[in-house]
Amino acid sequence: MSDARFLSMNRPVRIDGKPVDDHDWRNVTSPFDGHVIARVPVCTAADVDRAVDAAAAALDDPLPAWRRAEILDQAARLLRERVDEFAATIAAEAAKPLKTARVEAERAVSTFTFAAVEARRLTGEMVPMDAADVGEGKLAFTLRVPVGVVGAISPFNFPLNLVAHKVAPAIAAGCPIVLKPAGQTPLSAIALADLLLDDCGLPPEWLHVVTGSGGDVGDAIVTHDAIAYISFTGSAEVGWRIAAKAPRKKVRLELGNSTPVIIEADGDWSTAAQKIAVAGFSHAGQSCISTQRVYVHGDIAADFTAALVEQVERLKVGDPMDPDTDVSALITEGDRDRVKGWIDEAFGQGAHVLAGGRVVDGLLMPTVLSGIRSDMRVARDEVFGPVVGIQTYTSLDEALRLADDTRYGLQAGIFTARIATAIEAAKRLHFGGITVNEVPTWRADHMPYGGVRESGNTKEGPAWAVREMTEERLVVIQP
């Protein structure tokens, strides 16, 4: 599907079921070539107030579990039927290549499917009161009740599925949602909200989309007294500022990473090279778990590096709407220039540019560096661009130390043929998730996904998110 269908189209959002179409409008432009895709309203703090009031009122008329599950099941079915349509939207607004955008749309189907399961099985547990003499003769159990109104703030890099990871668990938990999508990529979120409200039977007071700036709309969501739970995905700097602004709320953060992978001498370095050639450059490296740092044993470093460079140089860079494109534009020219500056800085500090490192026709080429060090920004910080850096090591202790030398802690990986080595890495690496013989960029949407240290304080995945969006209430009965 061509992105021409979006050209100059006004896309109102809905608050309490009513379209917001009397505001100023802001252009949504293609990161690839800058043309206007659509226009969305510039919402204000007053719009947030209106949305929160309606959402809070919805709690007085809760949706039963079977109805929530039915809505989520219907959303999964319709998303499956409309994968191509949503993929085209993602590709247009985010410059995510169509083949990658389609994977995201298919993952959103999975996210809604598993959320429907959680809506059906959300339950408390029995408490054995007669385990103590004072409890003899009493019956006790816990209930899981909605935490309240959820304020969700989503990023640009997965404009459909990361919205789904907030909206679907909130519906499953019985929580109304006020959603602020990323300013660069609001169209997928608006389309998803339309699907839920128009085609799945979600009552209008249960989902409200507010488009606008972080300073106006985002802050209004974070500080609103009637919002009980904040779900934020984005940069560590912004995320921890949000947590500081709302100390009395449940603020759940899924943040960044400087993602490492270790390749042992006995590991399958050829498979690792194939996987990293995708994992480091998919969506131009704009993923929280994009493979960024590679620590490869010196005995296999030359072979691995040659294989990786060969495969990276085969990647097709260009128009995201071309089904053959592997890598396209970064989200803004400013981000492109920032990443290029980091590459140049690393080169000046002694790193070698083995592939890419230049801008061609406005696009930053997929870049492989060797000789990186922990004090370089391309290793120390989250690049969020199409850059993979390589450093060699001689012992497992050294590799584990280098991989763990970061303030982040989302996911890390290791390739090894020895189970003992894998277990040692899993025990010693301070990350929320460890992959073995798989790149740390891998994720299934029903697994517990989240980080430690500056990478966040929560676990996504419907089963975990739904529990966090509820509170446990104890009921004690004296018959």
Side-chain angles (χ1 to χ4, degrees), residues 31-33 95-98 315-322 324-330 360-361 363-366:
F32 174 66
D33 60 15
K96 179 174 287 190
L98 269 176
L315 296 173
K316 180 175 180 179
V317 182
D319 187 344
M321 307 309 292
D322 182 341
D324 294 327
T325 294
D326 298 301
V327 181
S328 190
L330 286 158
V360 177
D361 296 330
L363 302 178
L364 180 61
M365 296 294 103

mmCIF file with all atom_site columns, all heavy atoms in Angstrom, residues 31-33 95-98 315-322 324-330 360-361 363-366:
data_model
loop_
_atom_site.group_PDB
_atom_site.id
_atom_site.type_symbol
_atom_site.label_atom_id
_atom_site.label_alt_id
_atom_site.label_comp_id
_atom_site.label_asym_id
_atom_site.label_entity_id
_atom_site.label_seq_id
_atom_site.pdbx_PDB_ins_code
_atom_site.Cartn_x
_atom_site.Cartn_y
_atom_site.Cartn_z
_atom_site.occupancy
_atom_site.B_iso_or_equiv
_atom_site.pdbx_formal_charge
_atom_site.auth_seq_id
_atom_site.auth_comp_id
_atom_site.auth_asym_id
_atom_site.auth_atom_id
_atom_site.pdbx_PDB_model_num
ATOM 1   N N   . PRO A 1 31  ? 10.134 10.858 7.842  1.00 0.00 ? 31  PRO A N   1
ATOM 2   C CA  . PRO A 1 31  ? 11.560 11.000 8.145  1.00 0.00 ? 31  PRO A CA  1
ATOM 3   C C   . PRO A 1 31  ? 12.449 10.733 6.938  1.00 0.00 ? 31  PRO A C   1
ATOM 4   O O   . PRO A 1 31  ? 13.599 11.175 6.906  1.00 0.00 ? 31  PRO A O   1
ATOM 5   C CB  . PRO A 1 31  ? 11.799 9.946  9.230  1.00 0.00 ? 31  PRO A CB  1
ATOM 6   C CG  . PRO A 1 31  ? 10.456 9.650  9.801  1.00 0.00 ? 31  PRO A CG  1
ATOM 7   C CD  . PRO A 1 31  ? 9.505  9.801  8.655  1.00 0.00 ? 31  PRO A CD  1
ATOM 8   N N   . PHE A 1 32  ? 11.909 10.015 5.940  1.00 0.00 ? 32  PHE A N   1
ATOM 9   C CA  . PHE A 1 32  ? 12.715 9.656  4.772  1.00 0.00 ? 32  PHE A CA  1
ATOM 10  C C   . PHE A 1 32  ? 12.902 10.833 3.822  1.00 0.00 ? 32  PHE A C   1
ATOM 11  O O   . PHE A 1 32  ? 14.020 11.145 3.427  1.00 0.00 ? 32  PHE A O   1
ATOM 12  C CB  . PHE A 1 32  ? 12.074 8.483  4.032  1.00 0.00 ? 32  PHE A CB  1
ATOM 13  C CG  . PHE A 1 32  ? 12.755 8.140  2.737  1.00 0.00 ? 32  PHE A CG  1
ATOM 14  C CD1 . PHE A 1 32  ? 14.053 7.655  2.729  1.00 0.00 ? 32  PHE A CD1 1
ATOM 15  C CD2 . PHE A 1 32  ? 12.101 8.316  1.528  1.00 0.00 ? 32  PHE A CD2 1
ATOM 16  C CE1 . PHE A 1 32  ? 14.695 7.348  1.534  1.00 0.00 ? 32  PHE A CE1 1
ATOM 17  C CE2 . PHE A 1 32  ? 12.724 8.013  0.327  1.00 0.00 ? 32  PHE A CE2 1
ATOM 18  C CZ  . PHE A 1 32  ? 14.025 7.528  0.327  1.00 0.00 ? 32  PHE A CZ  1
ATOM 19  N N   . ASP A 1 33  ? 11.807 11.503 3.458  1.00 0.00 ? 33  ASP A N   1
ATOM 20  C CA  . ASP A 1 33  ? 11.950 12.587 2.484  1.00 0.00 ? 33  ASP A CA  1
ATOM 21  C C   . ASP A 1 33  ? 11.279 13.892 2.902  1.00 0.00 ? 33  ASP A C   1
ATOM 22  O O   . ASP A 1 33  ? 11.271 14.855 2.142  1.00 0.00 ? 33  ASP A O   1
ATOM 23  C CB  . ASP A 1 33  ? 11.417 12.152 1.115  1.00 0.00 ? 33  ASP A CB  1
ATOM 24  C CG  . ASP A 1 33  ? 9.945  11.771 1.137  1.00 0.00 ? 33  ASP A CG  1
ATOM 25  O OD1 . ASP A 1 33  ? 9.257  12.100 2.125  1.00 0.00 ? 33  ASP A OD1 1
ATOM 26  O OD2 . ASP A 1 33  ? 9.481  11.147 0.160  1.00 0.00 ? 33  ASP A OD2 1
ATOM 27  N N   . ALA A 1 95  ? 9.587  5.735  9.023  1.00 0.00 ? 95  ALA A N   1
ATOM 28  C CA  . ALA A 1 95  ? 10.635 5.309  8.086  1.00 0.00 ? 95  ALA A CA  1
ATOM 29  C C   . ALA A 1 95  ? 11.174 3.935  8.452  1.00 0.00 ? 95  ALA A C   1
ATOM 30  O O   . ALA A 1 95  ? 12.335 3.621  8.211  1.00 0.00 ? 95  ALA A O   1
ATOM 31  C CB  . ALA A 1 95  ? 11.777 6.326  8.000  1.00 0.00 ? 95  ALA A CB  1
ATOM 32  N N   . LYS A 1 96  ? 10.313 3.112  9.027  1.00 0.00 ? 96  LYS A N   1
ATOM 33  C CA  . LYS A 1 96  ? 10.687 1.723  9.294  1.00 0.00 ? 96  LYS A CA  1
ATOM 34  C C   . LYS A 1 96  ? 10.424 0.929  8.023  1.00 0.00 ? 96  LYS A C   1
ATOM 35  O O   . LYS A 1 96  ? 9.313  0.967  7.485  1.00 0.00 ? 96  LYS A O   1
ATOM 36  C CB  . LYS A 1 96  ? 9.860  1.171  10.460 1.00 0.00 ? 96  LYS A CB  1
ATOM 37  C CG  . LYS A 1 96  ? 10.159 -0.285 10.788 1.00 0.00 ? 96  LYS A CG  1
ATOM 38  C CD  . LYS A 1 96  ? 9.414  -0.742 12.042 1.00 0.00 ? 96  LYS A CD  1
ATOM 39  C CE  . LYS A 1 96  ? 10.021 -0.144 13.287 1.00 0.00 ? 96  LYS A CE  1
ATOM 40  N NZ  . LYS A 1 96  ? 9.473  -0.746 14.526 1.00 0.00 ? 96  LYS A NZ  1
ATOM 41  N N   . PRO A 1 97  ? 11.422 0.228  7.479  1.00 0.00 ? 97  PRO A N   1
ATOM 42  C CA  . PRO A 1 97  ? 11.202 -0.518 6.239  1.00 0.00 ? 97  PRO A CA  1
ATOM 43  C C   . PRO A 1 97  ? 9.986  -1.435 6.327  1.00 0.00 ? 97  PRO A C   1
ATOM 44  O O   . PRO A 1 97  ? 9.700  -2.011 7.381  1.00 0.00 ? 97  PRO A O   1
ATOM 45  C CB  . PRO A 1 97  ? 12.498 -1.318 6.075  1.00 0.00 ? 97  PRO A CB  1
ATOM 46  C CG  . PRO A 1 97  ? 13.532 -0.465 6.756  1.00 0.00 ? 97  PRO A CG  1
ATOM 47  C CD  . PRO A 1 97  ? 12.826 0.133  7.936  1.00 0.00 ? 97  PRO A CD  1
ATOM 48  N N   . LEU A 1 98  ? 9.283  -1.557 5.217  1.00 0.00 ? 98  LEU A N   1
ATOM 49  C CA  . LEU A 1 98  ? 8.030  -2.304 5.199  1.00 0.00 ? 98  LEU A CA  1
ATOM 50  C C   . LEU A 1 98  ? 8.172  -3.709 5.774  1.00 0.00 ? 98  LEU A C   1
ATOM 51  O O   . LEU A 1 98  ? 7.297  -4.177 6.509  1.00 0.00 ? 98  LEU A O   1
ATOM 52  C CB  . LEU A 1 98  ? 7.489  -2.385 3.771  1.00 0.00 ? 98  LEU A CB  1
ATOM 53  C CG  . LEU A 1 98  ? 6.529  -1.293 3.320  1.00 0.00 ? 98  LEU A CG  1
ATOM 54  C CD1 . LEU A 1 98  ? 6.185  -1.481 1.854  1.00 0.00 ? 98  LEU A CD1 1
ATOM 55  C CD2 . LEU A 1 98  ? 5.261  -1.288 4.166  1.00 0.00 ? 98  LEU A CD2 1
ATOM 56  N N   . LEU A 1 315 ? 23.328 -4.912 2.987  1.00 0.00 ? 315 LEU A N   1
ATOM 57  C CA  . LEU A 1 315 ? 22.039 -4.344 3.372  1.00 0.00 ? 315 LEU A CA  1
ATOM 58  C C   . LEU A 1 315 ? 21.631 -3.257 2.386  1.00 0.00 ? 315 LEU A C   1
ATOM 59  O O   . LEU A 1 315 ? 22.435 -2.408 2.007  1.00 0.00 ? 315 LEU A O   1
ATOM 60  C CB  . LEU A 1 315 ? 22.114 -3.776 4.792  1.00 0.00 ? 315 LEU A CB  1
ATOM 61  C CG  . LEU A 1 315 ? 22.383 -4.768 5.913  1.00 0.00 ? 315 LEU A CG  1
ATOM 62  C CD1 . LEU A 1 315 ? 22.598 -4.036 7.232  1.00 0.00 ? 315 LEU A CD1 1
ATOM 63  C CD2 . LEU A 1 315 ? 21.242 -5.770 6.046  1.00 0.00 ? 315 LEU A CD2 1
ATOM 64  N N   . LYS A 1 316 ? 20.354 -3.286 2.004  1.00 0.00 ? 316 LYS A N   1
ATOM 65  C CA  . LYS A 1 316 ? 19.845 -2.270 1.088  1.00 0.00 ? 316 LYS A CA  1
ATOM 66  C C   . LYS A 1 316 ? 19.339 -1.090 1.897  1.00 0.00 ? 316 LYS A C   1
ATOM 67  O O   . LYS A 1 316 ? 18.468 -1.229 2.763  1.00 0.00 ? 316 LYS A O   1
ATOM 68  C CB  . LYS A 1 316 ? 18.722 -2.824 0.217  1.00 0.00 ? 316 LYS A CB  1
ATOM 69  C CG  . LYS A 1 316 ? 18.172 -1.783 -0.760 1.00 0.00 ? 316 LYS A CG  1
ATOM 70  C CD  . LYS A 1 316 ? 17.144 -2.349 -1.717 1.00 0.00 ? 316 LYS A CD  1
ATOM 71  C CE  . LYS A 1 316 ? 16.642 -1.242 -2.656 1.00 0.00 ? 316 LYS A CE  1
ATOM 72  N NZ  . LYS A 1 316 ? 15.649 -1.761 -3.637 1.00 0.00 ? 316 LYS A NZ  1
ATOM 73  N N   . VAL A 1 317 ? 19.871 0.080  1.584  1.00 0.00 ? 317 VAL A N   1
ATOM 74  C CA  . VAL A 1 317 ? 19.518 1.305  2.292  1.00 0.00 ? 317 VAL A CA  1
ATOM 75  C C   . VAL A 1 317 ? 18.701 2.176  1.350  1.00 0.00 ? 317 VAL A C   1
ATOM 76  O O   . VAL A 1 317 ? 19.110 2.426  0.210  1.00 0.00 ? 317 VAL A O   1
ATOM 77  C CB  . VAL A 1 317 ? 20.782 2.049  2.755  1.00 0.00 ? 317 VAL A CB  1
ATOM 78  C CG1 . VAL A 1 317 ? 20.418 3.312  3.530  1.00 0.00 ? 317 VAL A CG1 1
ATOM 79  C CG2 . VAL A 1 317 ? 21.665 1.134  3.600  1.00 0.00 ? 317 VAL A CG2 1
ATOM 80  N N   . GLY A 1 318 ? 17.522 2.636  1.820  1.00 0.00 ? 318 GLY A N   1
ATOM 81  C CA  . GLY A 1 318 ? 16.719 3.473  0.927  1.00 0.00 ? 318 GLY A CA  1
ATOM 82  C C   . GLY A 1 318 ? 15.322 3.738  1.430  1.00 0.00 ? 318 GLY A C   1
ATOM 83  O O   . GLY A 1 318 ? 15.083 3.840  2.646  1.00 0.00 ? 318 GLY A O   1
ATOM 84  N N   . ASP A 1 319 ? 14.394 3.812  0.501  1.00 0.00 ? 319 ASP A N   1
ATOM 85  C CA  . ASP A 1 319 ? 13.005 4.182  0.751  1.00 0.00 ? 319 ASP A CA  1
ATOM 86  C C   . ASP A 1 319 ? 12.324 3.117  1.610  1.00 0.00 ? 319 ASP A C   1
ATOM 87  O O   . ASP A 1 319 ? 12.307 1.941  1.250  1.00 0.00 ? 319 ASP A O   1
ATOM 88  C CB  . ASP A 1 319 ? 12.286 4.303  -0.602 1.00 0.00 ? 319 ASP A CB  1
ATOM 89  C CG  . ASP A 1 319 ? 10.875 4.840  -0.486 1.00 0.00 ? 319 ASP A CG  1
ATOM 90  O OD1 . ASP A 1 319 ? 10.312 4.842  0.627  1.00 0.00 ? 319 ASP A OD1 1
ATOM 91  O OD2 . ASP A 1 319 ? 10.324 5.247  -1.525 1.00 0.00 ? 319 ASP A OD2 1
ATOM 92  N N   . PRO A 1 320 ? 11.735 3.506  2.738  1.00 0.00 ? 320 PRO A N   1
ATOM 93  C CA  . PRO A 1 320 ? 11.084 2.501  3.583  1.00 0.00 ? 320 PRO A CA  1
ATOM 94  C C   . PRO A 1 320 ? 9.885  1.841  2.921  1.00 0.00 ? 320 PRO A C   1
ATOM 95  O O   . PRO A 1 320 ? 9.490  0.731  3.329  1.00 0.00 ? 320 PRO A O   1
ATOM 96  C CB  . PRO A 1 320 ? 10.647 3.304  4.818  1.00 0.00 ? 320 PRO A CB  1
ATOM 97  C CG  . PRO A 1 320 ? 10.524 4.708  4.330  1.00 0.00 ? 320 PRO A CG  1
ATOM 98  C CD  . PRO A 1 320 ? 11.608 4.852  3.303  1.00 0.00 ? 320 PRO A CD  1
ATOM 99  N N   . MET A 1 321 ? 9.299  2.477  1.912  1.00 0.00 ? 321 MET A N   1
ATOM 100 C CA  . MET A 1 321 ? 8.145  1.900  1.250  1.00 0.00 ? 321 MET A CA  1
ATOM 101 C C   . MET A 1 321 ? 8.534  0.862  0.199  1.00 0.00 ? 321 MET A C   1
ATOM 102 O O   . MET A 1 321 ? 7.675  0.179  -0.357 1.00 0.00 ? 321 MET A O   1
ATOM 103 C CB  . MET A 1 321 ? 7.300  2.997  0.594  1.00 0.00 ? 321 MET A CB  1
ATOM 104 C CG  . MET A 1 321 ? 6.901  4.140  1.531  1.00 0.00 ? 321 MET A CG  1
ATOM 105 S SD  . MET A 1 321 ? 6.136  3.603  3.087  1.00 0.00 ? 321 MET A SD  1
ATOM 106 C CE  . MET A 1 321 ? 4.595  2.929  2.486  1.00 0.00 ? 321 MET A CE  1
ATOM 107 N N   . ASP A 1 322 ? 9.834  0.725  -0.080 1.00 0.00 ? 322 ASP A N   1
ATOM 108 C CA  . ASP A 1 322 ? 10.341 -0.301 -0.987 1.00 0.00 ? 322 ASP A CA  1
ATOM 109 C C   . ASP A 1 322 ? 10.413 -1.620 -0.214 1.00 0.00 ? 322 ASP A C   1
ATOM 110 O O   . ASP A 1 322 ? 11.102 -1.703 0.806  1.00 0.00 ? 322 ASP A O   1
ATOM 111 C CB  . ASP A 1 322 ? 11.726 0.096  -1.500 1.00 0.00 ? 322 ASP A CB  1
ATOM 112 C CG  . ASP A 1 322 ? 12.317 -0.899 -2.485 1.00 0.00 ? 322 ASP A CG  1
ATOM 113 O OD1 . ASP A 1 322 ? 11.867 -2.072 -2.528 1.00 0.00 ? 322 ASP A OD1 1
ATOM 114 O OD2 . ASP A 1 322 ? 13.251 -0.518 -3.208 1.00 0.00 ? 322 ASP A OD2 1
ATOM 115 N N   . ASP A 1 324 ? 12.058 -4.152 -0.559 1.00 0.00 ? 324 ASP A N   1
ATOM 116 C CA  . ASP A 1 324 ? 13.392 -4.742 -0.474 1.00 0.00 ? 324 ASP A CA  1
ATOM 117 C C   . ASP A 1 324 ? 14.323 -3.992 0.472  1.00 0.00 ? 324 ASP A C   1
ATOM 118 O O   . ASP A 1 324 ? 15.423 -4.457 0.754  1.00 0.00 ? 324 ASP A O   1
ATOM 119 C CB  . ASP A 1 324 ? 14.031 -4.794 -1.861 1.00 0.00 ? 324 ASP A CB  1
ATOM 120 C CG  . ASP A 1 324 ? 13.308 -5.741 -2.798 1.00 0.00 ? 324 ASP A CG  1
ATOM 121 O OD1 . ASP A 1 324 ? 12.786 -6.769 -2.316 1.00 0.00 ? 324 ASP A OD1 1
ATOM 122 O OD2 . ASP A 1 324 ? 13.245 -5.448 -4.012 1.00 0.00 ? 324 ASP A OD2 1
ATOM 123 N N   . THR A 1 325 ? 13.914 -2.832 0.958  1.00 0.00 ? 325 THR A N   1
ATOM 124 C CA  . THR A 1 325 ? 14.774 -2.016 1.816  1.00 0.00 ? 325 THR A CA  1
ATOM 125 C C   . THR A 1 325 ? 14.973 -2.669 3.177  1.00 0.00 ? 325 THR A C   1
ATOM 126 O O   . THR A 1 325 ? 14.031 -3.154 3.796  1.00 0.00 ? 325 THR A O   1
ATOM 127 C CB  . THR A 1 325 ? 14.178 -0.605 1.987  1.00 0.00 ? 325 THR A CB  1
ATOM 128 O OG1 . THR A 1 325 ? 14.206 0.063  0.728  1.00 0.00 ? 325 THR A OG1 1
ATOM 129 C CG2 . THR A 1 325 ? 14.960 0.213  3.003  1.00 0.00 ? 325 THR A CG2 1
ATOM 130 N N   . ASP A 1 326 ? 16.234 -2.655 3.638  1.00 0.00 ? 326 ASP A N   1
ATOM 131 C CA  . ASP A 1 326 ? 16.576 -3.177 4.962  1.00 0.00 ? 326 ASP A CA  1
ATOM 132 C C   . ASP A 1 326 ? 16.743 -2.063 5.985  1.00 0.00 ? 326 ASP A C   1
ATOM 133 O O   . ASP A 1 326 ? 16.410 -2.242 7.162  1.00 0.00 ? 326 ASP A O   1
ATOM 134 C CB  . ASP A 1 326 ? 17.892 -3.970 4.897  1.00 0.00 ? 326 ASP A CB  1
ATOM 135 C CG  . ASP A 1 326 ? 17.805 -5.169 3.993  1.00 0.00 ? 326 ASP A CG  1
ATOM 136 O OD1 . ASP A 1 326 ? 16.949 -6.038 4.241  1.00 0.00 ? 326 ASP A OD1 1
ATOM 137 O OD2 . ASP A 1 326 ? 18.591 -5.242 3.016  1.00 0.00 ? 326 ASP A OD2 1
ATOM 138 N N   . VAL A 1 327 ? 17.299 -0.932 5.577  1.00 0.00 ? 327 VAL A N   1
ATOM 139 C CA  . VAL A 1 327 ? 17.613 0.173  6.477  1.00 0.00 ? 327 VAL A CA  1
ATOM 140 C C   . VAL A 1 327 ? 17.186 1.468  5.804  1.00 0.00 ? 327 VAL A C   1
ATOM 141 O O   . VAL A 1 327 ? 17.444 1.672  4.615  1.00 0.00 ? 327 VAL A O   1
ATOM 142 C CB  . VAL A 1 327 ? 19.123 0.235  6.802  1.00 0.00 ? 327 VAL A CB  1
ATOM 143 C CG1 . VAL A 1 327 ? 19.426 1.391  7.755  1.00 0.00 ? 327 VAL A CG1 1
ATOM 144 C CG2 . VAL A 1 327 ? 19.604 -1.084 7.381  1.00 0.00 ? 327 VAL A CG2 1
ATOM 145 N N   . SER A 1 328 ? 16.536 2.347  6.565  1.00 0.00 ? 328 SER A N   1
ATOM 146 C CA  . SER A 1 328 ? 16.131 3.628  6.003  1.00 0.00 ? 328 SER A CA  1
ATOM 147 C C   . SER A 1 328 ? 16.592 4.756  6.923  1.00 0.00 ? 328 SER A C   1
ATOM 148 O O   . SER A 1 328 ? 17.612 4.639  7.602  1.00 0.00 ? 328 SER A O   1
ATOM 149 C CB  . SER A 1 328 ? 14.620 3.659  5.772  1.00 0.00 ? 328 SER A CB  1
ATOM 150 O OG  . SER A 1 328 ? 14.251 4.809  5.022  1.00 0.00 ? 328 SER A OG  1
ATOM 151 N N   . ALA A 1 329 ? 15.830 5.823  6.970  1.00 0.00 ? 329 ALA A N   1
ATOM 152 C CA  . ALA A 1 329 ? 16.266 7.035  7.653  1.00 0.00 ? 329 ALA A CA  1
ATOM 153 C C   . ALA A 1 329 ? 16.128 6.928  9.161  1.00 0.00 ? 329 ALA A C   1
ATOM 154 O O   . ALA A 1 329 ? 15.250 6.233  9.685  1.00 0.00 ? 329 ALA A O   1
ATOM 155 C CB  . ALA A 1 329 ? 15.444 8.223  7.155  1.00 0.00 ? 329 ALA A CB  1
ATOM 156 N N   . LEU A 1 330 ? 16.990 7.650  9.859  1.00 0.00 ? 330 LEU A N   1
ATOM 157 C CA  . LEU A 1 330 ? 16.757 7.906  11.271 1.00 0.00 ? 330 LEU A CA  1
ATOM 158 C C   . LEU A 1 330 ? 15.564 8.849  11.403 1.00 0.00 ? 330 LEU A C   1
ATOM 159 O O   . LEU A 1 330 ? 15.154 9.511  10.446 1.00 0.00 ? 330 LEU A O   1
ATOM 160 C CB  . LEU A 1 330 ? 18.003 8.515  11.909 1.00 0.00 ? 330 LEU A CB  1
ATOM 161 C CG  . LEU A 1 330 ? 19.147 7.517  12.131 1.00 0.00 ? 330 LEU A CG  1
ATOM 162 C CD1 . LEU A 1 330 ? 20.478 8.227  12.234 1.00 0.00 ? 330 LEU A CD1 1
ATOM 163 C CD2 . LEU A 1 330 ? 18.902 6.701  13.388 1.00 0.00 ? 330 LEU A CD2 1
ATOM 164 N N   . VAL A 1 360 ? 24.942 9.096  2.726  1.00 0.00 ? 360 VAL A N   1
ATOM 165 C CA  . VAL A 1 360 ? 24.750 9.014  1.276  1.00 0.00 ? 360 VAL A CA  1
ATOM 166 C C   . VAL A 1 360 ? 23.288 9.342  0.973  1.00 0.00 ? 360 VAL A C   1
ATOM 167 O O   . VAL A 1 360 ? 22.380 8.696  1.518  1.00 0.00 ? 360 VAL A O   1
ATOM 168 C CB  . VAL A 1 360 ? 25.106 7.609  0.736  1.00 0.00 ? 360 VAL A CB  1
ATOM 169 C CG1 . VAL A 1 360 ? 24.829 7.525  -0.757 1.00 0.00 ? 360 VAL A CG1 1
ATOM 170 C CG2 . VAL A 1 360 ? 26.557 7.265  1.038  1.00 0.00 ? 360 VAL A CG2 1
ATOM 171 N N   . ASP A 1 361 ? 23.065 10.330 0.140  1.00 0.00 ? 361 ASP A N   1
ATOM 172 C CA  . ASP A 1 361 ? 21.701 10.755 -0.215 1.00 0.00 ? 361 ASP A CA  1
ATOM 173 C C   . ASP A 1 361 ? 20.860 11.023 1.030  1.00 0.00 ? 361 ASP A C   1
ATOM 174 O O   . ASP A 1 361 ? 19.678 10.680 1.091  1.00 0.00 ? 361 ASP A O   1
ATOM 175 C CB  . ASP A 1 361 ? 21.017 9.696  -1.095 1.00 0.00 ? 361 ASP A CB  1
ATOM 176 C CG  . ASP A 1 361 ? 21.710 9.526  -2.442 1.00 0.00 ? 361 ASP A CG  1
ATOM 177 O OD1 . ASP A 1 361 ? 22.297 10.507 -2.938 1.00 0.00 ? 361 ASP A OD1 1
ATOM 178 O OD2 . ASP A 1 361 ? 21.668 8.409  -2.987 1.00 0.00 ? 361 ASP A OD2 1
ATOM 179 N N   . LEU A 1 363 ? 21.072 9.643  3.947  1.00 0.00 ? 363 LEU A N   1
ATOM 180 C CA  . LEU A 1 363 ? 20.898 8.495  4.837  1.00 0.00 ? 363 LEU A CA  1
ATOM 181 C C   . LEU A 1 363 ? 22.247 8.056  5.398  1.00 0.00 ? 363 LEU A C   1
ATOM 182 O O   . LEU A 1 363 ? 23.234 7.942  4.656  1.00 0.00 ? 363 LEU A O   1
ATOM 183 C CB  . LEU A 1 363 ? 20.250 7.333  4.093  1.00 0.00 ? 363 LEU A CB  1
ATOM 184 C CG  . LEU A 1 363 ? 18.878 7.620  3.450  1.00 0.00 ? 363 LEU A CG  1
ATOM 185 C CD1 . LEU A 1 363 ? 18.377 6.385  2.713  1.00 0.00 ? 363 LEU A CD1 1
ATOM 186 C CD2 . LEU A 1 363 ? 17.869 8.075  4.497  1.00 0.00 ? 363 LEU A CD2 1
ATOM 187 N N   . LEU A 1 364 ? 22.281 7.794  6.703  1.00 0.00 ? 364 LEU A N   1
ATOM 188 C CA  . LEU A 1 364 ? 23.490 7.292  7.340  1.00 0.00 ? 364 LEU A CA  1
ATOM 189 C C   . LEU A 1 364 ? 23.645 5.814  7.034  1.00 0.00 ? 364 LEU A C   1
ATOM 190 O O   . LEU A 1 364 ? 22.755 5.003  7.320  1.00 0.00 ? 364 LEU A O   1
ATOM 191 C CB  . LEU A 1 364 ? 23.426 7.520  8.848  1.00 0.00 ? 364 LEU A CB  1
ATOM 192 C CG  . LEU A 1 364 ? 24.630 7.049  9.662  1.00 0.00 ? 364 LEU A CG  1
ATOM 193 C CD1 . LEU A 1 364 ? 25.896 7.771  9.221  1.00 0.00 ? 364 LEU A CD1 1
ATOM 194 C CD2 . LEU A 1 364 ? 24.384 7.261  11.158 1.00 0.00 ? 364 LEU A CD2 1
ATOM 195 N N   . MET A 1 365 ? 24.775 5.450  6.438  1.00 0.00 ? 365 MET A N   1
ATOM 196 C CA  . MET A 1 365 ? 25.010 4.055  6.070  1.00 0.00 ? 365 MET A CA  1
ATOM 197 C C   . MET A 1 365 ? 25.252 3.196  7.318  1.00 0.00 ? 365 MET A C   1
ATOM 198 O O   . MET A 1 365 ? 25.847 3.651  8.300  1.00 0.00 ? 365 MET A O   1
ATOM 199 C CB  . MET A 1 365 ? 26.235 3.952  5.154  1.00 0.00 ? 365 MET A CB  1
ATOM 200 C CG  . MET A 1 365 ? 26.069 4.643  3.810  1.00 0.00 ? 365 MET A CG  1
ATOM 201 S SD  . MET A 1 365 ? 24.806 3.857  2.753  1.00 0.00 ? 365 MET A SD  1
ATOM 202 C CE  . MET A 1 365 ? 23.439 4.997  2.954  1.00 0.00 ? 365 MET A CE  1
ATOM 203 N N   . PRO A 1 366 ? 24.788 1.946  7.291  1.00 0.00 ? 366 PRO A N   1
ATOM 204 C CA  . PRO A 1 366 ? 25.055 1.030  8.407  1.00 0.00 ? 366 PRO A CA  1
ATOM 205 C C   . PRO A 1 366 ? 26.552 0.944  8.681  1.00 0.00 ? 366 PRO A C   1
ATOM 206 O O   . PRO A 1 366 ? 27.344 0.704  7.761  1.00 0.00 ? 366 PRO A O   1
ATOM 207 C CB  . PRO A 1 366 ? 24.491 -0.301 7.909  1.00 0.00 ? 366 PRO A CB  1
ATOM 208 C CG  . PRO A 1 366 ? 23.444 0.084  6.908  1.00 0.00 ? 366 PRO A CG  1
ATOM 209 C CD  . PRO A 1 366 ? 23.968 1.312  6.239  1.00 0.00 ? 366 PRO A CD  1
#
